[in-house]
C-alpha cells in the first residue's frame, strides 16, 4: 500500500480514531493551554513511571496527578463527566467551570462563619492539618477540555472531601479518602493508590482494614456523587445537613485514635520501666 | 453488602448514556471556553511589537528574555542534573566528556622557556564542574602538571553552587586551582584579553542568545595559539534510520523521564527543542571560522567546511575545535 492510499484510508476513519493517528514527532495542536497530546506508548510509560515513582516517594503529588490523568482515559473520566451531566448541579458546574485557588477561597472570611457550616469546617480542617488550598497541579494529559476540567475539579475539591469526613492528611487518612473516592468516582488512580497499604505499619493496616476501608466502601457507594457538589455555594450550609443530603457518615476520628494508641503505649512503657527499676532495686 | 450492589451498578450504568446531548450546555461551554482562551495573554504578544526575537526551543521570544528563561530552566534542573544526564544519554555523556578532555590533553609537562607555568583553562557553561574536574585530573595525573588551573564560568548561580559543592571535597579547591565566575558568555569582561590557553564549552553553546558574540569573546580572551573547543549536540544524525529512532527518543522519552524523575517536563522539552534549533556541523564550523579561528578541515566547492569537526556516537554530539592564529591575519 503506497502512502497516498494509506493516507486516504486514514482520512476515511471515524473522527475519534482519526484523531489518535499521530506520532511523537507530529503531535496535534494542544486543545487547551498546557495540554500535551500523548501517544499510547507515552501514556503507558508515564502511567507506569508515575505509579512506581509515587509509591517510592508519596510526596511527589505531581506523579499522583499524572497517574490519575493517564489512567482515566478513555472510559473512566468520560463516565465521571456523564455523571456530572446527569445531575442538575453537575451541569451547572460544567457550565460555570469554577476554580478553587488560595485566592478564590479566602480563609479569613471562612473562619468568620458559624462553626457548624461547611466553610468553617473546611478552614478548621486546613488549620488543623497545617495545609493551604494552594494551587493544585494543572491537568495536562487529558485530551478533551471538558474532561480535563472534570479532573481538575476532582483534584481541587479533594480537600473538601477531607473536611466533611474529618480524615487527616497522613497516609492512613489519605488511603481511606482514596477508597471512598474510588467507590464514589471510579477513577482508577484512587484504586491504584491502595498499593500504598504496604507503607502502613501493622497496627495501622489492621485499623484500616477493620474500620476505615469498610466505612469508605459502604459510604462511597451509598452516597451521592461528591463531584456534583457546588462547594462554592455550600459554604454556609450546615455540615450535618450536607452530610445527610449526600448520605455520608463520619468515620471515627483518626487523629484521636492514634493519640489514644500512643498514650496507651507510653503508659505501658512507663509501667514496664517502673517495674524494671523496682526489680533492679530489690534485686529480683 | 448485598444492598450495596445496586449502588455499585448505578456507577456503571451511566456508561451507556452515550446519546446524552444538551445542545444548550454545549453551546455555552464552547462560548465560555472561547472567552477563556481570549483572556489568556498570548506569549508572543510581547515579542511581536517590533522587538528583535530569537528562538527558545520551538517558541519565539524577545531576545532580552532568552537569557533569563535559560537561567530559570537550569535553576530547575541543577539539583538532579547528573542523574538526568545519565538517564537521557544512558550514561554515554560520561564517555563523550572523557574523550573530549583526553583529546585536548590539558597540562604541560615541561616548558620551553623558564620555569613551568601551567595552563589557564576557561570552562564556559561548566557550572556543575564535570569538564573542569576531568581537566584537572588529566593534567595532574597524566601530565604531572600541578599548576594548571581552571576558571569555571556559568550564567546560572545554582549550577555554580553545585560545582562548588563538588569541588569542596577535592584537593584542587585548597590548592587554588579552581575558581568560579558567574558571567554571561557573551560578556566576559571579567577575564582579561589573551589570558586563556584553552577555552572549552560543553553542552552550553546551544543555549546562548548570540553565539557569534560568544565566539568573539572566546577569540578575545584566548592567547594567540590558544585552542577553542566545543562539545555540543547536533540537530540531526547522518543516518536517517538512526535519526528516526533518535528523534523519537528525544521528543518522547526525554520529557517523560524529566516528568517522572525531576517533576519538570517543560525544561526537558526545552532542552530537546534547543538541540533541534542548533546549526548543523558545517554551519557551526563556518561560524567558528568567521570568528577568526583556524579550523581544521577544508572548504568544499560550495564554500562549506568539510571534515572540520569530530562526530561522536553517529552524530548525536560533535567536537568542534579552532585555534587562534599566532599572529593576527593582516
Amino acid at each position: 500500500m503506497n502512502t497516498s492510499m494509506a493516507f486516504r484510508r486514514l482520512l476515511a476513519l471515524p473522527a475519534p480514531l482519526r484523531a489518535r493517528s499521530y506520532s511523537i514527532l507530529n503531535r496535534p495542536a494542544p486543545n487547551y493551554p498546557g495540554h500535551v497530546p500523548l501517544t499510547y506508548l507515552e501514556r503507558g510509560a508515564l502511567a507506569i513511571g508515575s505509579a512506581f515513582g509515587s509509591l517510592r516517594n508519596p510526596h511527589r503529588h505531581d506523579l499522583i496527578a499524572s497517574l490519575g490523568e493517564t489512567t482515566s482515559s478513555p472510559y473512566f473520566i468520560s463516565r465521571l463527566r456523564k455523571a456530572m451531566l446527569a445531575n442538575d448541579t453537575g451541569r451547572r458546574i460544567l457550565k460555570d467551570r469554577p476554580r478553587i485557588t488560595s485566592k478564590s477561597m479566602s480563609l479569613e472570611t471562612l473562619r468568620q462563619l458559624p462553626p457548624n457550616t461547611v466553610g468553617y469546617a473546611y478552614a478548621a480542617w486546613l488549620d488543623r492539618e497545617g495545609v493551604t488550598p494552594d494551587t493544585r497541579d494543572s491537568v495536562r494529559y487529558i485530551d478533551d477540555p471538558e474532561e480535563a476540567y472534570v479532573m481538575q475539579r476532582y483534584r481541587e475539591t479533594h480537600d473538601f472531601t477531607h473536611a466533611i469526613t474529618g480524615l487527616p492528611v497522613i497516609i492512613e487518612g489519605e488511603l481511606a479518602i482514596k477508597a471512598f473516592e474510588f467507590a464514589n468516582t471510579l477513577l482508577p488512580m484512587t484504586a491504584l493508590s491502595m498499593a500504598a497499604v504496604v507503607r502502613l505499619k501493622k497496627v495501622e493496616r489492621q485499623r484500616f482494614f477493620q474500620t476505615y476501608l469498610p466505612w469508605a466502601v459502604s459510604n462511597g457507594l451509598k452516597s451521592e456523587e461528591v463531584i456534583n457538589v457546588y462547594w462554592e455555594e455550600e459554604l454556609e450550609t450546615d455540615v450535618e445537613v450536607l452530610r445527610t443530603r449526600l448520605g455520608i457518615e463520619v468515620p471515627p476520628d483518626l487523629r484521636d485514635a492514634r493519640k489514644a494508641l500512643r498514650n496507651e503505649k507510653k503508659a505501658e512503657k512507663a509501667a514496664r520501666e517502673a517495674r524494671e527499676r523496682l526489680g533492679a532495686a530489690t534485686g529480683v | 453488602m448485598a444492598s450495596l450492589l445496586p449502588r455499585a451498578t448505578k456507577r456503571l450504568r451511566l456508561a451507556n448514556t452515550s446519546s446524552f446531548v444538551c445542545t444548550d450546555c454545549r453551546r455555552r461551554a464552547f462560548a465560555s471556553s472561547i472567552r477563556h482562551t481570549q483572556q489568556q495573554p498570548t506569549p508572543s504578544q510581547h515579542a511581536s511589537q517590533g522587538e528583535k526575537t530569537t528562538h527558545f526551543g520551538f517558541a519565539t521570544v524577545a531576545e532580552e528574555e532568552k537569557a533569563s528563561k535559560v537561567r530559570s530552566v537550569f535553576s530547575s534542573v541543577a539539583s538532579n542534573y547528573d542523574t538526568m544526564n545519565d538517564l537521557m544519554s544512558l550514561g554515554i555523556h560520561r564517555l563523550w566528556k572523557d574523550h573530549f578532555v583526553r583529546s585536548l590533553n590539558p597540562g604541560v609537562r615541561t616548558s620551553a622557556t623558564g620555569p613551568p607555568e601551567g595552563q589557564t583553562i576557561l570552562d564556559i557553561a561548566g557550572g556543575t564542574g564535570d569538564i573542569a574536574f576531568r581537566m584537572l585530573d588529566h593534567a595532574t595525573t597524566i601530565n604531572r602538571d600541578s599548576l594548571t588551573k581552571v576558571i569555571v564560568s556559568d550564567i546560572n548561580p545554582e549550577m555554580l553552587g553545585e560545582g562548588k559543592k563538588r569541588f569542596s571535597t577535592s584537593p584542587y579547591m585548597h590548592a587554588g586551582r579552581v575558581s568560579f565566575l558567574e558571567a554571561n558568555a557573551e560578556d566576559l569582561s571579567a577575564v582579561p584579553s589573551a589570558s586563556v590557553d584553552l577555552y572549552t564549552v560543553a553542552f552550553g553553546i546551544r543555549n546562548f542568545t548570540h553565539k557569534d558574540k560568544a565566539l568573539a569573546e572566546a577569540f578575545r580572551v584566548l592567547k594567540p595559539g590558544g585552542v577553542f573547543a566545543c562539545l555540543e549536540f547536533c540537530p540531526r544524525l547522518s543516518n536517517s534510520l538512526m535519526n528516526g529512532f533518535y528523534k523519537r527518543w528525544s521528543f518522547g522519552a526525554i520529557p517523560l523521564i524529566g516528568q517522572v524523575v525531576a517533576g519538570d517536563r517543560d525544561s526537558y522539552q526545552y532542552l530537546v527543542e534547543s538541540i533541534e534549533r542548533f546549526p548543523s556541523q558545517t554551519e557551526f564550523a563556518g561560524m567558528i571560522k568567521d570568528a577568526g579561528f583556524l579550523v581544521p578541515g577544508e572548504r568544499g566547492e560550495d564554500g562549506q567546511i568539510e571534515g572540520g569537526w569530530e562526530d561522536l556516537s553517529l552524530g548525536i554530539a560533535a567536537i568542534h575545535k579552532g585555534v587562534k592564529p599566532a599572529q593576527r591575519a593582516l
Side-chain angles (χ1 to χ4, degrees):
Chain A
M1 196 191 319
N2 64 9
T3 35
S4 71
M5 208 167 104
F7 193 58
R8 250 174 296 205
R9 287 189 56 168
L10 213 61
L11 286 180
L13 288 171
L17 280 179
R18 205 193 316 149
R20 292 303 275 176
S21 309
Y22 56 81
S23 75
I24 291 174
L25 295 184
N26 46 18
R27 293 186 209 274
N31 293 332
Y32 52 87
H35 178 218
V36 180
L38 293 179
T39 59
Y40 289 118
L41 184 61
E42 287 178 298
R43 265 238 310 262
L46 185 56
I48 295 174
S50 310
F52 286 108
S54 57
L55 189 61
R56 260 189 74 208
N57 182 358
H59 297 287
R60 287 288 304 274
H61 48 87
D62 61 306
L63 287 183
I64 299 176
S66 55
L67 178 64
E69 292 168 35
T70 48
T71 51
S72 61
S73 312
Y75 165 72
F76 297 97
I77 193 74
S78 313
R79 190 216 74 87
L80 191 60
R81 175 176 162 266
K82 283 180 195 129
M84 286 186 85
L85 288 173
N87 178 291
D88 289 333
T89 327
R91 281 200 293 275
R92 263 194 313 124
I93 297 175
L94 283 178
K95 221 191 294 190
D96 300 338
R97 296 211 186 175
R99 295 290 300 266
I100 299 179
T101 61
S102 33
K103 288 188 214 81
S104 63
M105 283 278 152
S106 159
L107 284 183
E108 300 310 315
T109 31
L110 290 179
R111 288 193 196 111
Q112 315 295 348
L113 291 169
N116 61 330
T117 51
V118 171
Y120 183 84
Y122 177 60
W125 181 84
L126 289 174
D127 291 334
R128 190 187 186 200
E129 300 298 326
V131 293
T132 59
D134 46 19
T135 326
R136 297 274 171 172
D137 297 305
S138 299
V139 171
R140 299 190 75 179
Y141 304 116
I142 294 183
D143 293 334
D144 182 55
E146 199 161 65
E147 289 176 0
Y149 173 73
V150 172
M151 180 58 92
Q152 189 77 47
R153 179 76 183 166
Y154 155 75
R155 222 174 264 170
E156 289 173 358
T157 55
H158 175 82
D159 280 348
F160 274 103
T161 322
H162 268 286
I164 61 166
T165 53
L167 287 164
V169 283
I170 50 183
I171 283 194
E172 255 192 281
E174 290 288 350
L175 279 180
I177 288 267
K178 282 281 184 282
F180 174 85
E181 285 177 341
F182 180 60
N184 203 272
T185 64
L186 267 192
L187 288 174
M189 173 266 286
T190 50
L192 290 169
S193 318
M194 292 295 110
V197 288
V198 301
R199 292 184 138 257
L200 291 177
K201 300 198 194 89
K202 183 155 179 237
V203 72
E204 294 175 338
R205 230 177 301 158
Q206 264 175 335
R207 198 169 33 211
F208 179 72
F209 283 114
Q210 228 165 22
T211 322
Y212 291 97
L213 186 59
W215 165 83
V217 172
S218 70
N219 275 276
L221 284 177
K222 74 171 159 67
S223 74
E224 299 300 318
E225 314 259 0
V226 175
I227 191 96
N228 285 329
V229 178
Y230 207 152
W231 294 102
E232 288 85 348
E233 294 175 353
E234 303 280 1
L235 289 174
E236 291 176 28
T237 329
D238 187 288
V239 187
E240 272 311 316
V241 168
L242 182 64
R243 281 201 207 114
T244 337
R245 200 191 326 148
L246 289 175
I248 300 178
E249 300 155 354
V250 184
D253 192 303
L254 188 52
R255 284 216 186 266
D256 288 346
R258 285 165 65 99
K259 211 198 294 196
L261 192 65
R262 257 203 310 270
N263 291 340
E264 217 183 277
K265 286 218 148 86
K266 242 190 278 186
E268 264 180 43
K269 190 168 174 211
R272 207 184 337 121
E273 278 174 2
R275 252 180 286 131
E276 278 168 9
R277 256 180 278 127
L278 194 62
T282 59
V284 172
Chain B
M1 211 52 183
S3 64
L4 293 172
L5 203 55
R7 296 279 178 176
T9 54
K10 177 177 96 166
R11 303 271 180 258
L12 297 171
R13 243 185 293 137
L14 289 159
N16 293 327
T17 58
S18 54
S19 53
F20 184 96
V21 169
C22 172
T23 49
D24 188 40
C25 287
R26 283 245 158 142
R27 252 183 272 129
R28 292 281 201 98
F30 189 51
S32 64
S33 66
I34 282 188
R35 233 182 304 131
H36 181 70
T37 47
Q38 278 175 351
Q39 279 161 16
Q40 292 273 348
T42 47
S44 56
Q45 237 174 27
H46 173 63
S48 60
Q49 288 159 12
E51 297 166 358
K52 283 206 287 183
T53 59
T54 180
H55 55 82
F56 179 74
F58 288 160
T60 310
V61 299
E63 279 194 344
E64 305 85 58
E65 280 179 37
K66 179 162 179 175
S68 62
K69 284 175 108 82
V70 167
R71 201 178 293 132
S72 57
V73 162
F74 282 92
S75 290
S76 66
V77 304
S79 52
N80 29 28
Y81 189 66
D82 274 347
T83 321
M84 280 304 304
N85 280 345
D86 277 332
L87 287 170
M88 293 192 288
S89 64
L90 307 175
I92 300 175
H93 73 107
R94 296 167 190 262
L95 300 176
W96 293 333
K97 287 170 183 163
D98 287 343
H99 176 74
F100 182 60
V101 169
R102 250 181 249 135
S103 70
L104 287 169
N105 198 14
V108 280
R109 291 184 189 226
T110 53
S111 171
T113 53
E117 288 179 345
Q119 291 175 331
T120 308
I121 304 173
L122 175 62
D123 182 30
I124 294 288
T128 51
D130 276 353
I131 297 289
F133 235 113
R134 285 173 167 87
M135 294 278 183
L136 288 168
D137 283 345
H138 185 102
T140 319
T141 7
I142 297 183
N143 288 326
R144 294 182 212 281
D145 174 352
S146 50
L147 296 170
T148 295
K149 57 188 180 61
V150 178
I151 307 169
V152 178
S153 168
D154 202 292
I155 196 175
N156 187 296
E158 271 96 357
M159 294 289 275
L160 275 180
E162 287 291 323
K164 282 180 195 158
K165 237 193 283 177
R166 224 164 281 185
F167 271 98
S168 61
T169 49
S170 75
Y172 305 122
M173 192 71 129
H174 299 291
R177 292 175 66 190
V178 62
S179 56
F180 296 88
L181 172 67
E182 185 181 328
N184 185 330
E186 300 169 21
D187 175 21
L188 292 172
S189 26
V191 182
S193 306
S195 61
V196 168
D197 289 292
L198 173 60
Y199 176 112
T200 58
V201 51
F203 301 124
I205 201 160
R206 71 177 185 280
N207 300 306
F208 296 173
T209 317
H210 301 109
K211 291 180 267 294
D212 48 346
K213 282 204 197 132
L215 290 172
E217 276 294 272
F219 192 81
R220 179 185 70 80
V221 301
L222 276 170
K223 294 179 188 165
V227 172
F228 166 89
C230 165
L231 171 62
E232 191 52 81
F233 286 111
C234 308
R236 66 203 68 84
L237 310 190
S238 36
N239 180 325
S240 29
L241 179 67
M242 293 306 295
N243 193 42
F245 285 120
Y246 173 62
K247 288 294 170 214
R248 280 163 178 80
W249 171 263
S250 291
F251 284 91
I254 286 182
L256 206 115
I257 298 174
Q259 172 69 49
V260 175
V261 172
D264 185 358
R265 188 188 178 92
D266 297 328
S267 295
Y268 292 92
Q269 184 72 25
Y270 161 73
L271 288 177
V272 296
E273 288 177 358
S274 65
I275 296 174
E276 193 71 13
R277 285 274 177 262
F278 194 69
S280 65
Q281 287 93 310
T282 31
E283 282 173 50
F284 193 55
M287 285 171 77
I288 297 175
K289 191 167 173 115
D290 291 339
F293 291 101
L294 297 171
V295 169
E298 29 189 60
R299 273 211 199 272
E301 300 84 41
D302 51 356
Q304 305 278 53
I305 297 190
E306 304 292 324
W309 62 86
E310 183 186 350
D311 273 351
L312 300 175
S313 303
L314 293 178
I316 297 179
I319 299 179
H320 291 263
K321 289 182 189 156
V323 178
K324 177 165 174 174
Q327 271 175 336
R328 259 210 103 90
L330 293 164

